[in-house]
Amino acid sequence: MQIKAVLFDMFDTLAVINHGHEFYKHAIKRMYEYIVNQGVSVDFEPFREAYIKARDELYAAAEENLEEPHFNQRIQNALQLLGYTLDAKDPTITGATWEFCQEFLNHVKIDENAKNVLQNLYGNYKLGIISNFAIPEGVYNVLKTNELNELFDIVVVSGEINKRKPSPEIFQSALKMLGVLADEAVFVGDTADADIAGAHAIGMKAVYIKRRFEQALEKFIPDIIIENLAELPSALKTISSCK
């Protein structure tokens, strides 16, 4: 197999989220404090409940249609539940989104092997990112802050195109932008259903990086499992040698 492109999931693949979802309660609090400072008069608990309801309704819809509206939509819907009608691009909403994102980014660090591996691959393959994340600006911020942005030919984020993995559309969009066929590309990710199944469904090979135990690996079997990113160049050579 001739590999022309390697595409990566972002969070918990190239960048690791410290302590799982511990950041979440702090991010909601920070978002709340911002909107109150912007003149929204609401107590914290009603806001938290409205946000969770709005979030869960969007998650439920995403299970059906694999869409991923920008995070601004969550806040707009939450405030609407509280009686505030604001446009999704209103500064109160966009500012609250960024406050949430900044708190999240405080809990994120680039994998210790990521930069060396990417530099090793750069020039030998086209490189891209396909990320499920409702705040595209956050992905770009991580890449720029860690001086990784110039190593990637394309970056596709679900919140920017309103489609999330394992939707074939998000993978196909990335391949089209790179100008490669599915059987010329390998996807690297940490989730069996979104990353491995999604890549396989359109004919890509898939490398699974083991960040946690996943029962779904029994159903969605990757082409190769690696323990850390440093093993990826060798894994790609193995895939290339397969007919």
Side-chain angles (χ1 to χ4, degrees):
M1 170 186 179
Q2 182 183 11
I3 301 173
K4 294 183 178 179
V6 183
L7 296 107
F8 296 83
D9 169 57
M10 185 67 190
F11 297 111
D12 278 339
T13 296
L14 290 176
V16 179
I17 305 171
N18 295 326
H19 309 299
H21 287 79
E22 185 178 302
F23 77 91
Y24 215 91
K25 60 183 179 182
H26 304 293
I28 293 176
K29 185 71 172 180
R30 184 166 168 173
M31 183 169 57
Y32 165 75
E33 291 171 352
Y34 179 86
I35 68 164
V36 168
N37 287 335
Q38 297 302 304
V40 174
S41 180
V42 60
D43 290 336
F44 174 69
E45 194 56 32
F47 171 77
R48 188 187 72 84
E49 291 176 358
Y51 167 76
I52 291 173
K53 182 177 180 181
R55 180 202 65 189
D56 289 351
E57 287 176 350
L58 288 172
Y59 279 172
E63 289 295 320
E64 295 293 326
N65 53 33
L66 293 178
E67 292 183 351
E68 179 94 272
H70 194 285
F71 193 93
N72 293 348
Q73 187 70 55
R74 298 187 196 182
I75 304 176
Q76 181 187 37
N77 292 359
L79 291 178
Q80 191 168 20
L81 290 170
L82 296 167
Y84 290 86
T85 303
L86 297 176
D87 185 84
K89 294 184 178 180
D90 186 282
T92 296
I93 289 178
T94 59
T97 289
W98 188 239
E99 290 295 318
F100 183 99
C101 187
Q102 284 185 303
E103 185 61 37
F104 168 73
L105 295 179
N106 286 340
H107 296 257
V108 170
K109 67 175 183 179
I110 290 294
D111 181 281
E112 61 181 0
N113 295 305
K115 193 163 191 176
N116 285 338
V117 168
L118 290 169
Q119 289 173 336
N120 180 307
L121 300 179
Y122 182 74
N124 296 310
Y125 307 96
K126 293 182 179 181
L127 300 179
I129 288 174
I130 305 177
S131 175
N132 278 358
F133 198 57
I135 312 176
E137 304 91 327
V139 175
Y140 295 119
N141 180 276
V142 171
L143 295 175
K144 186 175 181 180
T145 300
N146 291 278
E147 300 180 336
L148 297 178
N149 51 313
E150 294 186 0
L151 296 174
F152 291 97
D153 298 283
I154 60 106
V155 177
V156 180
V157 186
S158 59
E160 205 162 39
I161 68 168
N162 197 29
K163 280 295 179 182
R164 61 183 285 114
K165 297 173 292 183
S167 167
E169 287 94 335
I170 193 169
F171 289 97
Q172 290 164 345
S173 175
L175 293 175
K176 184 176 180 179
M177 292 167 68
L178 286 174
V180 299
L181 301 175
D183 62 4
E184 297 173 329
V186 173
F187 191 77
V188 184
D190 71 298
T191 57
D193 54 353
D195 296 329
I196 307 307
H200 278 169
I202 67 160
M204 295 174 66
K205 296 294 185 182
V207 175
Y208 180 83
I209 182 165
K210 190 176 180 180
R211 299 296 192 189
R212 70 195 75 78
F213 171 76
E214 279 200 284
Q215 189 72 38
L217 281 178
E218 296 178 2
K219 180 178 180 181
F220 306 117
I221 302 172
D223 295 280
I224 292 181
I225 296 176
I226 59 176
E227 298 287 335
N228 60 71
L229 284 174
E231 300 173 27
L232 181 59
S234 177
L236 294 175
K237 290 179 181 178
T238 300
I239 293 174
S240 295
S241 67
C242 297
K243 295 183 180 180

